[in-house]
Amino acid sequence: MANEETVRGAFMIQEYYCRSMDAPIYARLCEAIATGLTRDSRVGARILDWPGEPTRDALPLRFVGGLHALVRQRADDELAAIFDGSVKELAEIAAALGRALVRHDDALLPWLDGPPQTNEPGRSAALMTGLIEVARACGPKLGLLEIGSSGGLNLLIDRYRFDLGGAFVGPVDAPVTITPEWRGAAPAIPPFEIVSTRGCDIQPLDVTDPAVEDRLAAYVWAEKPERLARLRTAIEMVRAHGVRLEQADAADWVEARLAEPQAEGVTRVLMHSVVWQYLPEPVAERIRAAMATAGASATAERPLAWVAMEPDRALAEQVVTVRTWPGGPREIVATAHAHAAWVKPGQPEAGREGHALVDAAARVGF
C-alpha cells in the first residue's frame, strides 16, 4: 500500500522519464506536483492518499492527462500557461496548479479512475524491428495477435509505412509514415507479409467516437504535436477500414487463439507494447504457460513467436524482445524511446549504469 512519500516519489519517477524523453514541460510539471501538491482539493487528497502502487497504476499519467484535457478544452488559462511552457518556476507552477485543482475538482476526479490509454502508433516502429527478426527466423508470413490493443491503432501496423534508417517497410501510399530517429545501421529487410492482425483489450476503445478521440488526445504530451497529428490520421484510417478488435481478458483470449487451427507456413505472433505492467500476475502467468505449451508443439511449418516492447524502469527506455519456437532463444533486438521517437537496433551497450535490460525481459518471462 502506498503512502504520501511513495506517491510523491512516483511523480519524481515520471519526472525522470519525461526529462529522459525530451519533454521538459511535463518534467517540470511532474516535479511541481511531487513537491507542491496539497490536500486543499479533493483530487489532491485522493492522489496523496492513493491506495495502490502509484507507479504501476500510472497515477502521474492519469492525473496529467486530466490536466491536459482541461487545457485542450480551453477551460483554464493558468493551466494553459503551464502546458505551453510560459510558467517555468516550480513554485509558480505548484501555486497555479493548486488553484486550478480547486476550480476543477469535479472534472479531474474521474481521470483518476482508470489507467491511461496511450494508444501510440509510433510504437509500431519498435514492434516492427521484432517482426523483421521473426520473419528472418521463421519465414515470410506472419499472423499477429496483439493483447492490450486499446483502440487498435497498432493493429494498423500492416497499413503504415516505416522508414527505419533508410530501409522502408509497408505500402508506399500509406496515410501514415512512421520515421523514428534510427540509431544504428539500417536493417536488411527480409521478404515478409503480415497476413492478419487481431487484437483484444479488457476495455477496448472505439476510436471512431469523437469523445474517445478527445480522451486519447489528452494523453498525448502537449509538447509533442507530431504525435497528435499522427494519432488523428491513424484514427481516420480506422474509421475508413476498421480493425479486428475484441473485448476480452488477455489470458482467456490468448488461450483461445492458440487453440485455433494454424495455417501451414504462417507464423503465429503474440505482440504487445507497454502492457505487461498492467496485467495482474495470475493473468501474466497464464499467458506465459499458454505460450510455453504452444511453443513446445510448434514446428517449422507452424512456428510461434512472441514480440514485446516493454519498459525498463531503470533506464527509462523500452526493450524490444523476440522469442521464436521451435528452438529460438529469447533475444533483445532493440531499445527504444517510450513512444518510439527513436529506436536503437541491436543488443544494448555493455556496462551501462543501472543496466537492467535483461531484467525487463525477464519480467515478461518468456
Side-chain angles (χ1 to χ4, degrees):
M1 181 175 176
N3 56 32
E4 182 175 325
E5 182 180 1
T6 306
V7 170
R8 294 188 188 277
F11 280 92
M12 289 307 300
I13 291 170
Q14 189 61 49
E15 184 275 340
Y16 169 66
Y17 279 140
C18 292
R19 183 162 38 85
S20 300
M21 293 188 288
D22 192 29
I25 294 173
Y26 272 43
R28 283 196 299 270
L29 174 58
C30 287
E31 185 175 359
I33 295 167
T35 58
L37 187 66
T38 71
R39 291 182 171 80
D40 292 343
S41 62
R42 286 176 295 146
V43 71
R46 184 175 173 192
I47 289 169
L48 293 174
D49 296 327
W50 192 254
E53 206 288 298
T55 297
R56 183 180 178 88
D57 294 343
L59 177 61
L61 295 179
R62 298 185 192 204
F63 182 37
V64 175
L67 296 174
H68 189 205
L70 291 173
V71 173
R72 290 181 48 77
Q73 295 160 11
R74 303 182 187 276
D76 196 289
D77 290 342
E78 280 197 294
L79 283 179
I82 295 171
F83 275 78
D84 69 15
S86 299
V87 180
K88 294 182 170 63
E89 295 298 324
L90 290 178
E92 292 182 42
I93 294 172
L97 183 64
R99 291 188 293 269
L101 297 194
V102 172
R103 290 193 293 271
H104 300 289
D105 245 349
D106 289 341
L108 287 168
L109 279 168
W111 287 85
L112 303 180
D113 291 341
Q117 294 278 8
T118 308
N119 198 185
E120 173 51 58
R123 289 174 178 159
S124 288
L127 292 168
M128 184 58 74
T129 66
L131 297 180
I132 288 169
E133 295 308 313
V134 171
R136 199 186 318 279
C138 299
K141 294 187 176 183
L142 311 180
L144 307 186
L145 302 171
E146 186 189 37
I147 57 172
S149 295
S150 187
L153 299 186
N154 285 316
L155 293 173
L156 298 168
I157 193 168
D158 59 330
R159 303 182 222 171
Y160 297 145
R161 185 160 176 81
F162 300 91
D163 178 354
L164 306 179
F168 291 88
V169 180
V172 296
D173 59 347
V176 170
T177 297
I178 299 175
T179 308
E181 177 191 341
W182 193 258
R183 299 182 175 180
I189 309 295
F192 79 98
E193 175 189 3
I194 297 173
V195 299
S196 64
T197 61
R198 299 176 66 179
C200 79
D201 197 276
I202 194 69
Q203 291 181 312
L205 300 180
D206 177 7
V207 297
T208 65
D209 181 339
V212 172
E213 182 175 359
D214 286 345
R215 185 173 181 86
L216 286 175
Y219 289 121
V220 174
W221 295 2
E223 51 203 304
K224 302 296 180 183
E226 69 281 2
R227 288 181 56 209
L228 181 59
R230 185 168 57 205
L231 173 77
R232 295 207 180 281
T233 305
I235 288 172
E236 288 304 316
M237 293 172 68
V238 175
R239 287 194 175 106
H241 298 293
V243 290
R244 196 173 178 186
L245 175 60
E246 303 169 55
Q247 180 175 12
D249 170 84
D252 290 345
W253 191 80
V254 168
E255 290 167 352
R257 300 291 76 74
L258 293 177
E260 292 174 347
Q262 181 177 351
E264 184 174 344
V266 176
T267 303
R268 181 173 276 163
V269 185
L270 176 63
M271 181 178 82
H272 53 86
S273 57
V274 197
V275 167
W276 205 255
Q277 70 195 61
Y278 299 115
L279 297 179
E281 182 54 31
V283 172
E285 184 54 38
R286 283 175 58 197
I287 294 172
R288 294 187 195 103
M291 289 296 285
T293 298
S297 301
T299 65
E301 293 74 27
R302 292 177 174 82
L304 179 68
W306 192 343
V307 174
M309 171 189 169
E310 295 294 340
D312 183 286
R313 293 182 181 179
L315 297 176
E317 295 177 1
Q318 307 292 313
V319 184
V320 183
T321 46
V322 172
R323 184 169 181 185
T324 58
W325 291 268
R330 183 193 63 206
E331 292 184 82
I332 297 170
V333 299
T335 54
H337 178 279
H339 307 128
W342 58 261
V343 176
K344 185 173 183 179
Q347 291 285 328
E349 299 170 10
R352 293 168 69 182
E353 185 177 356
H355 178 40
L357 290 164
V358 173
D359 179 63
R363 281 188 279 109
V364 177
F366 62 89

